[in-house]
Amino acid sequence: MPHIEIIKPISQPADEFRLLNWLNERFSSTTYHSFRCLVAFAKVKPLYKMHENIQKWNASGNHTEAIIGVDHKGTSLQALQYALANFQHTYVLHTDHSTFHPKMYIFSGETEAAVYYGSNNLTPGGLETNFEGGVILTLTFPEDADLFDQAMASFESLLPSSIPCCVELTNTILQQLNNGGWLLDESIPKAVRNLGAIRRAGYTTSTPSLFAPYKTKLPKAISKTALAVAAASAGITTNPIGSGTPVTPVISHTAASPAVPIAIVEGLVMQVVPHHNGEIFLSMNAIRQNPGFFGFPFTGQTVPKKATNPTYPQRDPDPIVNIFVYDAAGTCVRTEIQYNLNTVFYEKKAEIRITITPSILRGLNYTGGSDYPIMVMRNSETDECDYDLHFYAKGSTDYSSCLSICDQALPSGGKPVARKMGWI
């Protein structure tokens, strides 16, 4: 008899069950030797987070096969680059007047199979933070062979041998898809300036939210190693600042719009020290690892108060951000929507600083010392903004989970306790 488990939609945002963890556990298991998936959309970040286990899986001679849809620009160039470099077979599927929309993940071995059939795409939200639901079937052979055959028939019915709208991915086809505008490019920062409709967040500058807030637990950290190694395995990474010879991506932008050095991430989590004048030092380590996330190098210049003072590179225009401040009790005590975030590179000291009006961060009650507040800087969900900045005082509900993501120590600058940072 198969074991059947129904996954509640609340489980992912509450971090009670995340499909990313389920996949990682099975990639690291010796019970299975074949993996197949079919998904409507795919992004590269969850593949980074599974890269170490995928590499071990491949090194053991195991099989990996994927069918991925390319409708509505829901799949990225980088995800297909990764799949082409790391999976034995990858197929892309599209037909006119219809959307390819199934999501199924199948692991199989000699004595057992595990099948997940649900709503989860191979995307950061789909595998970690979205409200998603599904069914897990754990099958034992030979008793459950018939049910496994049905799952395999679902997958095989979509292969090129069965339907002409599915083709095996090659570098040539990937180039054609990219040139034809089919794919999302995750290396291009959002930086949208139109004042169009709010996509998901539910608030505007003049009206309150239609929906009460629900705080989703943060996704799994992307390690510094994964940023370099996983991306490089698919030819995605371009050179960080000062790394020497650029690494040419499999597909680059045109000469008129050159590729931006970037590692594909959702956001930065970092301990910060808000100064009395509103300045907050970011990290040159973070800038070097991922300049594109910050829009670096900056193209503008500061205007000094005195003509004799030097000018410095400044991001121009200012990034537009939403700011949320949480006190030690976990209460959101301040919200600023569409705030112009002055961002300057002080070349002489090699420092990146952002400036936020000191009163906005007053609720953090930071008085110095090593009880650093944490800033989570994420690509914004609102069309008119670049980033959402969440600040958490030490002791707040989410502080510990944020700190667990910070897996890199920053230079201490003479302080007894160094700050930390990490990527999501």
Side-chain angles (χ1 to χ4, degrees):
M1 287 289 292
H3 178 268
I4 302 173
E5 182 180 0
I6 298 175
I7 303 302
K8 299 189 295 292
I10 192 66
S11 295
Q12 282 211 147
D15 197 20
E16 296 166 355
F17 168 89
R18 287 187 167 175
L19 188 56
L20 181 80
N21 297 334
W22 186 87
L23 293 170
N24 256 328
E25 288 166 3
R26 277 141 195 85
F27 272 124
S28 62
S29 170
T30 58
T31 302
Y32 311 105
H33 55 68
S34 183
F35 170 72
R36 294 173 175 87
C37 73
L38 52 95
V39 293
F41 309 136
K43 304 290 195 306
V44 79
K45 287 187 283 291
L47 293 166
Y48 283 175
K49 296 178 183 182
M50 295 188 287
H51 179 71
E52 183 177 349
N53 286 327
I54 289 174
Q55 292 303 96
K56 292 177 181 177
W57 173 271
N58 290 340
S60 297
N62 294 327
H63 179 80
T64 310
E65 196 169 359
I67 302 173
I68 301 173
V70 292
D71 296 323
H72 309 301
K73 265 195 171 179
T75 290
S76 75
L77 162 66
Q78 290 78 15
L80 292 186
Q81 284 179 312
Y82 184 94
L84 190 59
N86 293 279
F87 295 174
Q88 278 78 21
H89 297 283
T90 302
Y91 307 92
V92 288
L93 193 153
H94 167 76
T95 186
D96 292 337
H97 310 298
S98 180
T99 298
F100 181 69
H101 213 241
K103 298 94 180 175
M104 177 184 277
Y105 303 84
I106 306 171
F107 287 90
S108 59
E110 297 297 331
T111 61
E112 186 179 299
V115 179
Y116 185 95
Y117 208 173
S119 65
N120 311 62
N121 274 307
L122 209 166
T123 62
L127 297 192
E128 292 198 81
T129 56
N130 286 355
F131 285 77
E132 308 278 5
V135 175
I136 296 174
L137 303 176
T138 303
L139 309 177
T140 303
F141 300 140
E143 296 92 328
D144 303 319
D146 180 64
L147 197 54
F148 175 73
D149 289 344
Q150 291 182 49
M152 285 299 298
S154 294
F155 182 87
E156 292 170 352
S157 69
L158 299 171
L159 290 173
S161 57
S162 299
I163 53 172
C165 60
C166 181
V167 297
E168 184 156 9
L169 185 67
T170 63
N171 271 312
T172 299
I173 291 174
L174 180 59
Q175 187 77 56
Q176 291 172 343
L177 288 170
N178 191 60
N179 291 346
W182 289 85
L183 305 177
L184 172 73
D185 189 340
E186 293 185 76
S187 74
I188 298 177
K190 195 164 181 283
V192 175
R193 284 292 174 267
N194 69 323
L195 297 179
I198 304 297
R199 179 153 51 96
R200 269 200 271 170
Y203 51 75
T204 69
T205 54
S206 58
T207 59
S209 172
L210 297 174
F211 307 99
Y214 179 86
K215 186 180 295 299
T216 299
K217 298 293 184 181
L218 287 174
K220 179 181 172 68
I222 302 176
S223 71
K224 178 182 176 181
T225 301
L227 285 175
V229 176
S233 76
I236 295 170
T237 304
T238 53
N239 63 307
I241 297 171
S243 67
T245 305
V247 178
T248 304
V250 174
I251 296 177
S252 62
H253 298 282
T254 64
S257 179
V260 177
I262 187 169
I264 311 301
V265 297
E266 181 178 342
L268 172 72
V269 182
M270 185 173 65
Q271 291 180 308
V272 295
V273 177
H275 288 80
H276 68 279
N277 63 357
E279 287 187 335
I280 295 175
F281 288 36
L282 298 184
S283 163
M284 282 307 299
N285 285 3
I287 302 292
R288 291 187 184 97
Q289 290 171 23
N290 193 358
F293 179 75
F294 303 94
F296 193 87
F298 302 149
T299 57
Q301 291 288 322
T302 59
V303 178
K305 293 180 181 179
K306 294 182 180 179
T308 55
N309 289 344
T311 62
Y312 297 101
Q314 173 177 295
R315 182 159 171 179
D316 184 32
D318 289 340
I320 308 300
V321 303
N322 301 316
I323 301 173
F324 307 88
V325 180
Y326 298 84
D327 65 13
T331 303
C332 185
V333 293
R334 185 68 181 259
T335 300
E336 289 288 329
I337 303 302
Q338 294 185 7
Y339 184 89
N340 288 62
L341 189 71
N342 181 253
T343 308
V344 176
F345 175 44
Y346 290 91
E347 296 170 294
K348 188 174 181 180
K349 295 185 177 181
E351 295 171 349
I352 298 282
R353 303 181 196 175
I354 58 175
T355 302
I356 297 175
T357 304
S359 60
I360 294 175
L361 302 180
R362 190 170 293 144
L364 295 172
N365 290 320
Y366 178 68
T367 57
S370 59
D371 289 342
Y372 307 119
I374 286 181
M375 177 188 74
V376 179
M377 182 179 188
R378 304 174 81 170
N379 292 314
S380 182
E381 290 288 349
T382 59
D383 285 338
E384 65 267 41
C385 291
D386 298 290
Y387 307 105
D388 291 334
L389 304 184
H390 289 76
F391 290 89
Y392 299 96
K394 186 170 183 179
S396 60
T397 310
D398 296 289
Y399 189 91
S400 294
S401 60
C402 291
L403 186 59
S404 68
I405 290 169
C406 298
D407 56 358
Q408 299 185 48
L410 300 175
S412 67
K415 296 183 182 296
V417 179
R419 294 185 297 141
K420 294 182 178 181
M421 60 159 272
W423 297 102
I424 53 175

